[in-house]
């Protein structure tokens, strides 16, 4: 969009610099014609005046052209520098955009990896246990308290209830949620059996992944 106005400006400047030369040439031709019929005395003076004025006009035009040429060269240099700045400016913008895209992609990948790792670590299992007492005289409240006091990282006790086994003997059915990579069911059973005063046996009723 800026190329056409610059060309028009250059042509206008060139026409303006040539106007004095054309005017003097027209003046010289008209004067020569007017005095061609005059005496031979006036003719030598005319021959001296016309070339002198033409010479001055030509020098003036040449100086004007050199001045215009310098301005045009300077304008070209400025235009070239602007084009160069635009070129490198576009490259800089593209570099910044590419860097931001890479950062966003890396952050997204890192977030996905962290989420996957967290999901793998928090895999849980819901377990229902039957804890049988020794006899009908076993204190089932003390038995349940003995079970619930077991604490392990990744273990959460849930609902419980008493069920009849037979001959007045009862069992404690209790739910527990464990994190798979932190709690071993076998180890948990062994800890419950450590209460030999109340606990006869421990059985796994069901196990289901959460």
């Amino acid at each position: 969009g800026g190329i056409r106005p610059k060309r028009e400006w250059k042509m206008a400047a060139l026409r303006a610099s040539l106007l004095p030369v054309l005017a003097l040439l027209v003046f010289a031709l008209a004067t020569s014609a007017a005095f061609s019929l005059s005496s031979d005395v006036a003719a030598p003076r005319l021959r001296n005046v016309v070339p002198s004025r033409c010479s001055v006009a030509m020098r003036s035009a040449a100086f004007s052209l050199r001045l215009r040429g310098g301005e045009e060269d300077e304008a070209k240099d400025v235009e070239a520098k602007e084009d160069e700045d635009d070129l490198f400016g576009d490259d800089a913008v593209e570099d910044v955009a590419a860097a931001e895209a890479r950062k966003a992609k890396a952050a997204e990948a890192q977030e996905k990896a962290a989420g996957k790792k967290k999901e793998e670590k928090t895999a849980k299992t819901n377990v229902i246990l039957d804890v049988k007492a020794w006899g009908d005289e076993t204190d089932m409240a003390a038995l349940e308290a003995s079970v619930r006091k077991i604490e392990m990282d990744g273990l959460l006790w849930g609902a419980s209830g008493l069920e009849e086994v037979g001959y007045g003997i009862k069992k404690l059915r209790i739910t527990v949620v464990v994190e798979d990579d932190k709690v071993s069911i076998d180890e948990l059973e062994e800890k419950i059996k450590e209460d030999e005063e109340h606990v006869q046996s421990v059985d796994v009723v069901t196990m289901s992944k959460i």
Side-chain angles (χ1 to χ4, degrees), residues 17 20-21 24 51-67:
S17 64
V21 178
L24 286 174
S52 176
R53 292 190 178 182
C54 289
S55 176
V56 171
M58 290 299 291
R59 285 197 299 271
S60 176
F63 175 77
S64 178
L65 287 175
R66 284 197 300 272
L67 182 60

Side-chain angles (χ1 to χ4, degrees), residues 9 61-74:
W9 176 79
F63 175 77
S64 178
L65 287 175
R66 284 197 300 272
L67 182 60
R68 297 297 182 184
E71 292 175 353
E72 291 174 4
D73 292 339
E74 184 178 355

Side-chain angles (χ1 to χ4, degrees), residues 125-138:
T125 302
N126 187 72
V127 184
I128 298 178
L129 300 173
D130 276 349
V131 183
K132 294 179 183 178
W134 282 108
D136 59 345
E137 296 181 356
T138 301

